[in-house]
Amino acid sequence: CWEGSQPWMPVFFEAVQQQAAWLKPSLPRHLFERTPPVGRSYPVAGTSPTVGGGLVDVEVAESFASLSRAVEEHRAWALGQAAVLLHGPPWEAVLARYDEANQLHKRMLRASRLFHQLRRRMERADTNSALAALYDSAREHLYKGQCAGILHTGFNGGLAEGAVRHTAWLNLAEVERLVMTALGERDTVRHEVVDHDGDGQDELVVRTPRLAAVMRPGAGGALSELHLWELGNLANTLSRRLETWHAELVRNPSLPALIEEGLVDEPAGATHEVVLEDDEDDGEPDSALTDNGEILLPLAPPLHHDVAAPELLLWQDRHRRGLFVDHFYGPQTSLENVRRGQAQEEGDFVRGAYQLLSVEREHNGDVVAIVSREGTHRSGGDVHLLRLAKRDRFSASSAEIFVDYELPNRIHQPIETTFGVEMTLNLDGRPGPHRFLRLGPDHSLPLERSADVAGVSRASLILADIGTTVHIDAEQPARVLAYPVEAAVRGRTSYRQSFQGTCLVFLWPVALWSQEKVELRLALRVERR
């Protein structure tokens, strides 16, 4: 490269210098400063094809599956010799594909760092029995929260099971609570702006005596975590995605319908299963399974197919679910197209980056953060610049969060749209007869049902079996869309739906003349017996 008859590097640098009129070299640190991150990526490692095949991009999964089949069927000598060189992505690729897995992984790391603070404290000081008991309990919860089963989406759930994630969230939060108790900081209020989830963008992490929360300005300014001590993470949900194995649901014509025709507002419950059947015994393994139990993962098709039976399983979310997710919806917004993830978005706020303007501790201990975004709103052929600001207040003395919205019209043309705030609430993924939703004073429904109710000032998620109620109060009455979020879970011989939470979408019609503004407030409060 540097010496010999044809050195490459000196020639390359000379060519760069000769093109200095248009080609501008830059140091890596300068690129980091001015280039926003686009996501996480992990180098190739020695993951087996069976594991790695589920982590590749859906677009390349068919090529991967075809190559795997060719190797197993010994179609070519060269392929057989090359088989030992075929590897999938590293296990960490699941952290890039599933943000929910990455959140849990980063929470594990955070809990581990806190635990080691306590261990160093014990090494430097005389240990009393009370401190030793807290240390032992924190260590046990830390190990429980590091279960590898939550960091994959293999057979029978794993990451897709709300109860499994809940157990991990609960144990990791308990580590933090025990460590803070041991260090004498349990009743303190703390906040920090740090890259909590490793995506190259800073998040706001807040901890009070009642709750812990993570707000992501770079991802729509939404809350991605909301922990109540000894209760769990109320944002424990899973976004619906196109998976590499969804094609199996379409290819098999014997799949029974998951919902009766005309009852699309009553989604299938968690007990419904779709069983794969082999129409004839041809001596070959069933569709996706090989002799040794490994699965070949084909390419999933686009969603405009005509197969109605498994349609409910294939709905997708276009954004990461969370709390206080902002939308600007079009005029045709309905419960059905919001449920399906197909509602028209007129703004670019739902996944857009907000700017964190300030974070302050007030005299009463409350943490107040202000974020805003300068975005666009499209209606018909018109494009307007729009600014949305929101002020999040985390109470220091109660399990309450207040969010104030301000939407001014700073252009000369009037703006007419529907502003929506989405919240997906879930604790352990277990709907049941003692859990229901109350919209206003007159509408109650089980968590498996959907509803579209106007004039709602309070929506309440009631978890009577554990003595907990989550209230969401709207200062200005809103139309509320409520529906269950369900995702498909793959077993070895069947598919079933797994409950991922209750989604509430608060909608307000907005019509602003030039220089007018609208102000809205939502409050989330948790009551426990």
Side-chain angles (χ1 to χ4, degrees):
C1 292
W2 293 94
E3 299 175 351
S5 59
Q6 294 180 328
W8 183 82
M9 292 300 294
V11 175
F12 170 73
F13 284 124
E14 183 178 352
V16 170
Q17 290 178 333
Q18 290 173 354
Q19 304 300 321
W22 66 275
L23 184 60
K24 304 298 181 184
S26 180
L27 294 174
R29 62 183 176 87
H30 293 157
L31 287 175
F32 280 122
E33 291 172 356
R34 65 173 183 262
T35 306
V38 296
R40 289 174 296 274
S41 180
Y42 297 90
V44 173
T47 306
S48 68
T50 303
V51 175
L55 303 178
V56 298
D57 292 336
V58 173
E59 291 77 8
V60 301
E62 179 61 38
S63 298
F64 187 88
S66 298
L67 184 59
S68 298
R69 285 192 291 268
V71 170
E72 292 196 5
E73 295 169 6
H74 307 291
R75 296 180 191 171
W77 178 86
L79 284 178
Q81 297 300 306
V84 295
L85 305 176
L86 297 178
H87 299 288
W91 73 267
E92 293 95 339
V94 72
L95 307 182
R97 178 165 172 76
Y98 297 95
D99 193 46
E100 297 86 354
N102 181 67
Q103 282 183 269
L104 274 165
H105 181 259
K106 299 307 181 286
R107 193 74 189 189
M108 290 179 194
L109 298 180
R110 182 180 181 87
S112 183
R113 288 193 294 268
L114 286 171
F115 175 74
H116 285 290
Q117 287 184 23
L118 177 59
R119 188 173 70 174
R120 289 193 295 270
R121 170 73 65 88
M122 294 185 64
E123 291 173 350
R124 295 194 301 264
D126 294 334
T127 303
N128 56 54
S129 58
L131 189 62
L134 290 171
Y135 173 85
D136 291 340
S137 181
R139 179 176 57 186
E140 180 180 350
H141 285 289
L142 178 62
Y143 289 158
K144 289 181 178 179
Q146 291 179 339
C147 171
I150 59 173
L151 296 180
H152 70 86
T153 57
F155 296 121
N156 299 320
L159 180 67
E161 291 292 354
V164 177
R165 298 192 308 269
H166 171 68
T167 300
W169 283 120
L170 196 60
N171 279 285
L172 295 173
E174 186 64 7
V175 174
E176 184 166 346
R177 189 187 71 86
L178 290 169
V179 171
M180 292 299 100
T181 300
L183 298 179
E185 300 179 5
R186 180 175 177 176
D187 296 328
T188 61
V189 177
R190 292 182 177 273
H191 73 272
E192 58 180 334
V193 178
V194 64
D195 184 7
H196 171 70
D197 58 7
D199 65 351
Q201 303 178 82
D202 286 340
E203 287 79 41
L204 171 63
V205 181
V206 178
R207 187 181 71 242
T208 75
R210 300 294 301 276
L211 58 83
V214 176
M215 190 261 280
R216 302 173 69 182
L223 296 186
S224 59
E225 299 177 32
L226 179 57
H227 298 266
L228 280 299
W229 305 122
E230 301 179 278
L231 179 65
N233 178 16
L234 285 175
N236 172 29
T237 186
L238 183 74
S239 301
R240 302 170 298 184
R241 295 172 174 83
L242 185 65
E243 301 288 356
T244 54
W245 48 269
H246 279 176
E248 186 65 36
L249 295 174
V250 178
R251 285 204 304 265
N252 195 317
S254 64
L255 294 175
L258 297 181
I259 51 176
E260 296 179 15
E261 187 175 356
L263 296 179
V264 292
D265 61 334
E266 297 183 16
T271 60
H272 286 72
E273 290 193 356
V274 178
V275 179
L276 300 183
E277 298 178 356
D278 198 354
D279 292 335
E280 54 181 299
D281 186 5
D282 53 8
E284 296 296 326
D286 287 350
S287 55
L289 292 178
T290 64
D291 289 331
N292 60 3
E294 294 182 345
I295 190 167
L296 299 176
L297 303 174
L299 176 68
L303 294 186
H304 51 70
H305 55 80
D306 295 325
V307 180
E311 182 181 9
L312 189 60
L313 292 175
L314 300 183
W315 292 350
Q316 297 179 64
D317 294 319
R318 292 179 292 190
H319 61 278
R320 172 73 169 87
R321 290 188 174 274
L323 306 178
F324 301 102
V325 180
D326 307 327
H327 296 267
F328 287 92
Y329 284 121
Q332 304 302 319
T333 300
S334 67
L335 171 62
E336 188 60 24
N337 58 31
V338 170
R339 278 184 63 212
R340 291 171 175 262
Q342 298 170 351
Q344 177 189 359
E345 290 278 355
E346 292 187 338
D348 60 357
F349 289 76
V350 65
R351 291 181 295 182
Y354 283 61
Q355 182 181 3
L356 181 59
L357 300 179
S358 65
V359 184
E360 296 179 353
R361 283 271 305 279
E362 297 196 337
H363 66 279
N364 61 355
D366 291 359
V367 176
V368 178
I370 300 177
V371 297
S372 72
R373 173 171 171 77
E374 302 277 351
T376 58
H377 175 265
R378 298 175 180 271
S379 179
D382 299 327
V383 180
H384 303 137
L385 294 177
L386 205 59
R387 180 179 183 272
L388 178 65
K390 58 182 179 181
R391 182 173 181 262
D392 293 14
R393 174 187 291 272
F394 302 89
S395 173
S397 58
S398 61
E400 290 181 293
I401 299 174
F402 304 90
V403 179
D404 296 301
Y405 287 89
E406 182 179 276
L407 176 62
N409 181 7
R410 299 186 298 176
I411 62 176
H412 297 297
Q413 295 86 6
I415 293 177
E416 188 170 350
T417 186
T418 298
F419 178 63
V421 178
E422 172 192 318
M423 284 180 275
T424 304
L425 296 163
N426 184 50
L427 189 63
D428 54 15
R430 291 173 175 164
H434 301 292
R435 298 185 175 191
F436 58 96
L437 191 65
R438 181 172 292 153
L439 303 177
D442 303 322
H443 297 83
S444 296
L445 63 153
L447 301 186
E448 297 90 342
R449 297 289 298 273
S450 301
D452 182 345
V453 182
V456 176
S457 296
R458 166 173 284 188
S460 301
L461 175 64
I462 300 173
L463 311 176
D465 57 322
I466 57 174
T468 301
T469 301
V470 182
H471 296 295
I472 301 173
D473 294 312
E475 193 171 82
Q476 294 83 3
R479 173 190 174 194
V480 174
L481 310 180
Y483 63 91
V485 179
E486 295 175 306
V489 176
R490 175 184 56 169
R492 290 195 178 275
T493 59
S494 65
Y495 298 101
R496 60 187 173 83
Q497 297 218 86
S498 178
F499 180 80
Q500 300 297 333
T502 298
C503 183
L504 300 173
V505 183
F506 290 75
L507 298 175
W508 296 271
V510 174
L512 296 175
W513 293 97
S514 178
Q515 306 307 314
E516 275 192 314
K517 70 177 180 180
V518 64
E519 296 179 344
L520 302 166
R521 164 175 278 201
L522 285 173
L524 186 153
R525 184 175 79 257
V526 180
E527 293 182 352
R528 301 174 65 185
R529 286 202 304 264

